[in-house]
Amino acid sequence: MRLARTVRSLFVAALVVGTVAFTGAGTAFADGNGGSFHGDHHHNGPATLFVSPSGQTGNSDWSCDTASYSTIGAAVSAASPWATIVVCGGTYHEQVVLTQPLSIEGRNNATIDETGVTPTFSVPMPPGPDVMIYAAVVIISSNVEVQDLTITGAMGEGIIAAGLAAPITHVDINHNKVVKNDLGGGVPPASPYFQCAANGQIPGDCGEGIHLAGGVAWSDVSDNFVSGNSGGILLSDDVGPTHDNVVEGNTVTKNLFDCGITVPSHNGNALDANGNPQPSVAGVFNNIIQDNRITDNGTLGEGAGVLFANAGPGTASYNNSVIDNYIAGNELSGVTMHAHTLGPGQFEDLNGNNVVGNWIGKNNTGGDPLDSAPPPAPPGTSDKVTTGVLVFSGGTPVSLRIAHNHIFDNEIGIWLSAPVTAHGLDDNSFHDVTTSVSANN
């Protein structure tokens, strides 16, 4: 389960300060309108460049057999905006940073393996020093496509996208195998990456397999295989609002220490002082999680199939939808939502989320020990039996829709705490469920 970390305030500080400078590899770019292998090949418009382990400068660069580049970073630096980089079969030990429109297309099991690679990309985190980003693929531009690659070995994220200097849109992360990344967590962390730092009793993870870290909109994460990372796919608002994205058709399985798909707000500026949303500043909203297979996540740690949560006052994860997914075998409930106990004059927003039309099997296999966690849980609160959907609030009212789901093989179908209003409960179906709805716990 993803909880707030003190270090995340560094990301927020970078947003408040404004313009972010970048250092490191990958300082020129390309993107995917140039599928043709003919015409003006490199410099006067969209182009196609080839990368191969046997690539050599001076080759004709018309195919994988005649590639001019032996590293992806070299091709990125040489490419014109809006070009396509074809990554031919082989293994590439490097960090790839994409800062202008570019399409990267893998062929024949092309693999980016960051094992043992020293990251070169850093961002300033006022008032402290620059911080290295340990992801294998870093996306900080709109109109970027990454597809058909195997991405592995990163101490941080396999892929991270973030609108660091300005919001980014139309980022497509499709048909990749994102496996065995997010490896630097634990107590103490195995990596100095700030995302790996623990927060109290909660061990750090390192950003999960795929991470939209804020300032990302109108983007698509689809048809990826995400497995063996600490956690699977993460949408957060660390550096700005993350909204109107689609996470669709992915297999997210056996990410053993965290959630399958996590949709939390970390940024305390998502709401104003009166509790009103500030969608131009922060928040995680209007995202769709659809047609994914989400199984067996968090079984060695703490993780739901899909989690919506807020880190504390001023945070907001709202108006998102979980539709037509298959969710089973996860350590916390299949769909889990956690809100907090707040002080007078404090606000958070977990309203308007929708859980509709999903097939939800046995989940909460490890139980949700809400009473052993810091607030929001009052003493004595827990759900330690198998449960399909759980919505907990320590006092903040939450209104949402849970309808047309098929929930089976659980002790409790839907578990709701007292301040939660769920619409559509009568429209769900239950099979081999002892208690269909356990409300006002």
Side-chain angles (χ1 to χ4, degrees):
M1 182 179 61
R2 192 84 177 190
L3 295 180
R5 301 196 183 103
T6 303
V7 293
R8 295 198 182 280
S9 63
L10 297 173
F11 256 146
V12 177
L15 174 69
V16 172
V17 167
T19 302
V20 179
F22 311 114
T23 63
T27 55
F29 330 88
D31 174 286
N33 292 342
S36 173
F37 299 163
H38 305 285
D40 191 347
H41 191 56
H42 289 305
H43 298 295
N44 295 323
T48 301
L49 292 75
F50 289 86
V51 182
S52 168
S54 60
Q56 293 183 5
T57 302
N59 283 352
S60 62
D61 204 34
W62 293 109
S63 68
C64 287
D65 290 337
T66 61
S68 291
Y69 303 94
S70 60
T71 69
I72 303 169
V76 167
S77 295
S80 303
W82 300 99
T84 296
I85 294 176
V86 175
V87 183
C88 305
T91 299
Y92 302 86
H93 294 283
E94 56 184 302
Q95 181 183 59
V96 178
V97 181
L98 310 175
T99 60
Q100 284 189 1
L102 169 69
S103 178
I104 297 185
E105 301 177 2
R107 292 187 182 175
N108 298 323
N109 197 33
T111 299
I112 298 173
D113 184 350
E114 210 187 16
T115 302
V117 174
T118 300
T120 58
F121 180 78
S122 65
V123 296
M125 293 294 184
D130 289 2
V131 173
M132 285 291 176
I133 303 301
Y134 278 63
V137 178
V138 181
I139 302 169
I140 55 173
S141 170
S142 297
N143 301 301
V144 166
E145 181 179 41
V146 176
Q147 67 177 23
D148 296 317
L149 290 162
T150 297
I151 298 170
T152 191
M155 298 297 280
E157 298 92 344
I159 304 172
I160 186 172
L164 293 178
I168 61 176
T169 63
H170 301 98
V171 173
D172 293 332
I173 301 169
N174 304 327
H175 298 282
N176 301 286
K177 295 179 181 178
V178 184
V179 295
K180 297 182 181 178
N181 298 284
D182 189 27
L183 300 176
V187 181
S191 168
Y193 189 25
F194 73 96
Q195 298 235 53
C196 303
N199 181 29
Q201 297 179 347
I202 307 301
D205 66 47
C206 302
E208 307 187 22
I210 300 173
H211 186 185
L212 307 187
V216 182
W218 306 107
S219 295
D220 183 69
V221 179
S222 66
D223 300 308
N224 300 284
F225 179 77
V226 184
S227 183
N229 311 284
S230 290
I233 299 172
L234 171 63
L235 281 64
S236 63
D237 60 350
D238 299 287
V239 296
T242 292
H243 63 92
D244 293 286
N245 302 292
V246 176
V247 178
E248 181 176 16
N250 302 281
T251 297
V252 185
T253 185
K254 295 184 179 179
N255 300 283
L256 296 181
F257 297 95
D258 214 319
C259 298
I261 299 176
T262 318
V263 191
S265 174
H266 295 147
N267 193 322
N269 297 309
L271 304 175
D272 67 17
N274 296 314
N276 300 307
Q278 300 191 104
S280 64
V281 178
V284 185
F285 54 92
N286 294 351
N287 300 288
I288 297 174
I289 299 166
Q290 180 172 299
D291 291 325
N292 302 282
R293 184 176 180 87
I294 309 164
T295 59
D296 302 318
N297 298 286
T299 56
L300 296 182
E302 189 175 69
V306 180
L307 174 72
F308 296 91
N310 291 320
T315 55
S317 177
Y318 60 97
N319 293 352
N320 302 288
S321 295
V322 181
I323 304 171
D324 294 336
N325 302 277
Y326 178 83
I327 309 172
N330 301 286
E331 193 270 344
L332 294 178
S333 295
V335 180
T336 298
M337 302 189 197
H338 286 169
H340 290 76
T341 300
L342 300 178
Q346 295 181 329
F347 303 94
E348 65 171 317
D349 192 350
L350 202 63
N351 291 292
N353 292 308
N354 300 283
V355 182
V356 178
N358 301 280
W359 289 80
I360 303 176
K362 182 181 291 185
N363 289 280
N364 205 36
T365 58
D368 196 335
L370 293 166
D371 57 352
S372 67
T381 302
S382 66
D383 174 18
K384 296 184 179 179
V385 300
T386 55
T387 302
V389 178
L390 178 145
V391 185
F392 174 81
S393 174
T396 300
V398 175
S399 177
L400 73 159
R401 179 175 173 80
I402 305 173
H404 303 293
N405 301 286
H406 306 280
I407 301 175
F408 54 96
D409 295 343
N410 287 285
E411 290 291 319
I412 297 175
I414 299 171
W415 188 103
L416 306 173
S417 66
V420 175
T421 301
H423 304 281
L425 292 178
D426 291 340
D427 296 326
N428 297 282
S429 65
F430 302 91
H431 182 74
D432 287 339
V433 171
T434 305
T435 303
S436 298
V437 178
S438 179
N440 300 318
N441 293 284

